[in-house]
Amino acid sequence: MTFCILKNNVVIRSLQRGLIVVVLCFFGAVTLLHSQSFQSHADSLQTLLEKPINDTLKLQYYMDLAHIYMDLDPSKMLGYADSALILAEKLSSEQDKAFIYNYKGVYHCKKGEFQLGLQHFLSGLEIMERIDHIQGKAEGYMNIGNLYLTIENYKESERYLLRALEMSKVIKSENSIMMINNNLGILFSQQGDFDKALVYYKNALEKAKELSHKNQMISLYINMGDSYMQKKDYKKGESHFTEALQLSHEVGNFGAEIRIKIALGQMYKYKGELSKATEYLEEGLKQAITIEANNLASKAYFNLSEIYEKQGAFEKALKLKEKYSVTKDTLGRNIIKMTNILSAYEIDKKQEEIIEKDSELQKTTLQKKTITIIGGIVSVVLLFLGGFMYFRKQRLAREKEQIKWENNILGQNNLDLKKRLEMLSDQIKNKPEKLDNLEQKSKKYRTSTLSNEEREKYMQQILDFMETEKPYLDSELTLGKLADELTMVPYHLSEVLNEALGKSFYDFVNIYRVEAVKQYMADPKTSNLTLLGIAFDAGFNSKTAFNRAFKKATSLSPSKYRQKQIQEALSKEV
């Protein structure tokens, strides 16, 4: 999923936040060449701005600088964009104003400031609709649809993406049609409608083949393989993963290869082919560690630990689970979920557009700095290797400290929850006639073979597991997944929660999540975190679900609850 920057009717694709960067020494050297090239162009534009020029040229240079610094140095980008906006207002250039709003929208989205990003996208779209700029409207709809998809507002995302798709077909923008179909596939896949997701993925794949977008084809094959795997159609899943793997070898997409190997390992685990699964997972894990892809390594650790546990190698399984805990990004759940790997085509296209715009200026600058760049490559590689080892050590230390802190908080949280749920258990033990009344009222469980003693046993098993393993921190936890981890039949798990505890599955899990949020709020270390960030850390996967569950549990909205805590703390200090 990408956001688009409009510039003279050229669509520039920006990186999605949280994208895995495959960093190798050679790639570092190539990146330096690109950065030096862009910086040279920026320096030349800044020199031109110091000369007496008219406002029209000045506006163009400011917009060019904002465009260049979007990836080169985002901290400088906003200043140039604001300067360009002032001149666009002065010159009454509506189209340029819309472009600048779009720049700023992309900038804020990349920083995770989605509310500000949405405001700028809407401002740009309003102008494009007023001047009836068809290309601008299509890209505006797509940006807003992608933003809503990022924050999991699927209804609004579908509405905007379908409008963008319709308009892109009118203007015959093949690249936009491909990207929108892919994002609609992601949208329905995240909602569990894999049949509908596959329809859009197939449409996107056809366009990718027509346009020879090989890296986009890889991403689509992976997405389709994931969907077939979720549908338990393992034969088709394996076929699509294999296609993606072969194409990755062909174009040298190392990051995609790792993702595919781990996905294949997971699929073979589901099929029960454990030796094959182990082979793919261990190979993918080794490569993920090499490039510091902690999210992929975490997934590999988790699946390998489950395999060894099934095989009875409990010591091995325990060590892998410990590594899984270290690599798991507990603070990263509020970062955008990745869906596509940046294609080499997009990198080349961005460079070509900048060089084409001012080719003579680029040639002159590159000739002067070629010797300096080549001499600097060796130094950069050495610095990179040294910095790589240092920052890796620092990050691991921070992650261990963070996990220790979180376990302390969640441990206190679980004690409170256990006391509450034990009270429910005692009520059931002391009042068996109440359970009988519930059974008479419930038609759903009349045919259940569970006795009262078995329900109590299962209930204690569930409470102990929630306390020790903390599965509610997984934002993708489902009834079936929890039942698998408890080695219970999903029907029995649902019955115990509904009949013994009087809670639906999601109400039960959200009790733990709300208590976790309350503990986070009470800790001074989290005062700089947003409520939404805390909610994601506690296992919620959307703002709406978090607000609803929190208010149901406390009768207060999260913001009012936090304000109340602050006031109480101030009263105690006084």
Side-chain angles (χ1 to χ4, degrees):
M1 162 191 351
T2 55
F3 295 102
C4 303
I5 303 175
L6 295 178
K7 188 71 176 63
N8 298 332
N9 295 327
V10 176
V11 182
I12 308 296
R13 304 292 180 188
S14 68
L15 289 173
Q16 180 183 16
R17 248 180 118 244
L19 190 65
I20 302 174
V21 181
V22 183
V23 183
L24 299 174
C25 292
F26 177 73
F27 182 75
V30 174
T31 303
L32 174 65
L33 285 169
H34 287 188
S35 299
Q36 288 282 358
S37 174
F38 296 158
Q39 186 63 60
S40 299
H41 187 55
D43 292 343
S44 299
L45 289 172
Q46 287 167 340
T47 301
L48 290 172
L49 280 170
E50 294 172 1
K51 297 179 179 180
I53 53 175
N54 60 47
D55 286 343
T56 302
L57 274 177
K58 191 179 291 186
L59 169 60
Q60 189 64 44
Y61 292 157
Y62 277 134
M63 291 181 68
D64 290 344
L65 285 165
H67 175 205
I68 292 170
Y69 280 113
M70 178 67 72
D71 290 318
L72 193 62
D73 187 353
S75 62
K76 295 182 180 180
M77 173 268 165
L78 208 56
Y80 289 117
D82 288 335
S83 297
L85 189 59
I86 293 170
L87 280 174
E89 290 278 5
K90 179 180 177 181
L91 297 171
S92 300
S93 178
E94 293 295 290
Q95 184 171 304
D96 285 331
K97 282 168 59 179
F99 291 154
I100 298 162
Y101 279 127
N102 201 68
Y103 285 179
K104 297 178 75 171
V106 173
Y107 168 81
H108 288 296
C109 285
K110 290 172 77 172
K111 289 186 67 181
E113 299 168 349
F114 301 114
Q115 188 62 41
L116 283 172
L118 180 60
Q119 290 175 9
H120 289 305
F121 284 148
L122 288 171
S123 297
L125 179 59
E126 181 184 356
I127 295 172
M128 290 300 187
E129 287 179 332
R130 188 168 64 245
I131 65 177
D132 197 25
H133 192 293
I134 299 177
Q135 177 80 12
K137 288 191 289 184
E139 299 300 340
Y141 292 141
M142 183 161 65
N143 280 337
I144 295 170
N146 290 345
L147 187 152
Y148 277 125
L149 177 56
T150 297
I151 62 176
E152 299 181 351
N153 186 338
Y154 299 125
K155 184 178 179 181
E156 287 299 304
S157 177
E158 182 180 359
R159 183 165 72 91
Y160 277 99
L161 287 176
L162 287 175
R163 291 174 73 180
L165 182 60
E166 181 182 352
M167 197 158 289
S168 294
K169 287 178 179 178
V170 172
I171 60 178
K172 297 180 180 180
S173 177
E174 301 299 314
N175 194 64
S176 294
I177 292 171
M178 176 187 67
M179 295 303 299
I180 296 167
N181 271 293
N182 181 50
N183 291 347
L184 283 165
I186 293 168
L187 184 150
F188 287 109
S189 177
Q190 288 182 1
Q191 295 181 87
D193 191 344
F194 300 109
D195 289 326
K196 206 165 185 178
L198 283 166
V199 172
Y200 285 107
Y201 284 146
K202 288 175 183 176
N203 291 340
L205 184 59
E206 288 177 8
K207 291 295 179 186
K209 288 178 178 178
E210 290 174 12
L211 298 170
S212 297
H213 283 215
K214 291 188 177 180
N215 278 283
Q216 190 62 38
M217 287 165 62
I218 294 170
S219 183
L220 285 161
Y221 278 128
I222 295 173
N223 290 344
M224 293 173 74
D226 285 335
S227 295
Y228 281 120
M229 180 170 63
Q230 294 299 327
K231 284 166 58 67
K232 296 188 176 5
D233 189 342
Y234 299 127
K235 185 175 181 181
K236 288 185 179 178
E238 183 177 16
S239 172
H240 283 79
F241 285 139
T242 304
E243 286 279 359
L245 191 58
Q246 290 175 349
L247 204 53
S248 298
H249 286 315
E250 182 182 328
V251 301
N253 193 331
F254 189 59
E257 286 183 29
I258 299 172
R259 182 182 168 194
I260 297 162
K261 287 174 183 176
I262 293 174
L264 279 167
Q266 186 176 9
M267 188 186 72
Y268 287 126
K269 184 192 76 172
Y270 290 156
K271 289 176 68 178
E273 299 179 23
L274 301 186
S275 60
K276 217 170 185 180
T278 303
E279 180 183 348
Y280 276 105
L281 287 168
E282 286 183 344
E283 187 176 352
L285 174 61
K286 185 178 179 181
Q287 293 173 334
I289 292 171
T290 302
I291 65 168
E292 286 285 299
N294 278 353
N295 57 337
L296 291 176
S298 176
K299 191 173 183 180
Y301 282 132
F302 180 80
N303 283 284
L304 282 168
S305 69
E306 287 195 333
I307 291 173
Y308 286 125
E309 192 172 346
K310 286 180 181 179
Q311 294 175 335
F314 299 112
E315 186 176 350
K316 249 184 178 181
L318 181 60
K319 287 180 180 178
L320 287 168
K321 280 198 174 181
E322 288 174 354
K323 290 181 178 180
Y324 163 72
S325 298
V326 172
T327 55
K328 189 177 181 183
D329 185 9
T330 54
L331 294 176
R333 291 178 187 150
N334 58 332
I335 298 175
I336 304 171
K337 294 181 178 179
M338 292 184 308
T339 54
N340 291 309
I341 296 176
L342 179 65
S343 68
Y345 169 85
E346 291 171 333
I347 297 174
D348 293 339
K349 184 178 179 181
K350 182 185 290 185
Q351 186 188 14
E352 287 170 5
E353 287 169 1
I354 294 175
I355 294 175
E356 183 179 352
K357 184 169 183 178
D358 198 352
S359 59
E360 291 302 320
L361 183 60
Q362 288 289 341
K363 287 177 183 177
T364 303
T365 306
L366 287 173
Q367 286 172 357
K368 291 179 179 178
K369 295 195 174 183
T370 298
I371 297 174
T372 305
I373 292 171
I374 293 172
I377 288 174
V378 176
S379 300
V380 169
V381 171
L382 293 174
L383 287 171
F384 170 78
L385 290 173
F388 172 82
M389 297 303 297
Y390 173 79
F391 285 114
R392 180 182 179 186
K393 183 178 179 181
Q394 292 295 316
R395 186 170 67 254
L396 285 174
R398 287 196 300 271
E399 287 177 348
K400 287 180 181 177
E401 189 63 27
Q402 179 65 31
I403 289 169
K404 182 179 178 182
W405 169 68
E406 289 182 346
N407 286 337
N408 289 336
I409 292 177
L410 295 176
Q412 296 173 3
N413 174 33
N414 284 328
L415 288 175
D416 293 337
L417 286 170
K418 187 175 181 182
K419 289 177 182 178
R420 295 186 186 185
L421 293 172
E422 283 177 350
M423 290 174 64
L424 290 172
S425 175
D426 291 338
Q427 290 175 6
I428 293 169
K429 292 177 183 177
N430 297 330
K431 297 182 180 180
E433 67 279 6
K434 184 175 182 181
L435 183 59
D436 292 337
N437 290 336
L438 287 171
E439 289 177 339
Q440 292 172 3
K441 291 179 182 178
S442 174
K443 295 179 180 180
K444 182 176 180 181
Y445 302 111
R446 280 185 179 177
T447 59
S448 173
T449 58
L450 289 179
S451 64
N452 289 348
E453 291 76 16
E454 287 174 324
R455 288 185 188 179
E456 290 178 16
K457 178 184 174 183
Y458 279 141
M459 181 179 67
Q460 190 59 47
Q461 181 185 350
I462 294 166
L463 297 178
D464 290 342
F465 186 80
M466 294 295 283
E467 177 184 358
T468 57
E469 298 300 322
K470 307 176 185 66
Y472 51 87
L473 295 178
D474 182 0
S475 62
E476 297 178 357
L477 183 66
T478 62
L479 180 71
K481 189 173 180 180
L482 181 57
D484 286 344
E485 292 178 352
L486 289 164
T487 63
M488 289 177 62
V489 178
Y491 180 83
H492 286 164
L493 174 58
S494 178
E495 179 180 349
V496 171
L497 293 178
N498 281 270
E499 296 299 295
L501 298 176
K503 300 288 182 183
S504 69
F505 168 75
Y506 286 106
D507 284 343
F508 174 72
V509 173
N510 283 342
I511 289 174
Y512 284 85
R513 290 171 175 165
V514 169
E515 290 299 321
V517 170
K518 289 163 68 177
Q519 291 294 334
Y520 276 119
M521 288 183 182
D523 194 288
K525 292 181 180 179
T526 66
S527 60
N528 63 327
L529 298 180
T530 65
L531 288 173
L532 190 56
I534 291 173
F536 285 150
D537 289 345
F540 288 101
N541 60 10
S542 73
K543 182 178 180 181
T544 303
F546 165 52
N547 287 336
R548 182 169 57 248
F550 195 94
K551 193 164 186 180
K552 183 176 180 180
T554 65
S555 300
L556 292 173
S557 67
S559 57
K560 288 185 178 178
Y561 183 90
R562 180 180 247 188
Q563 187 177 8
K564 182 181 177 184
Q565 277 194 326
I566 294 171
Q567 290 174 348
E568 289 175 353
L570 291 173
S571 299
K572 289 179 182 179
E573 290 177 1
V574 174

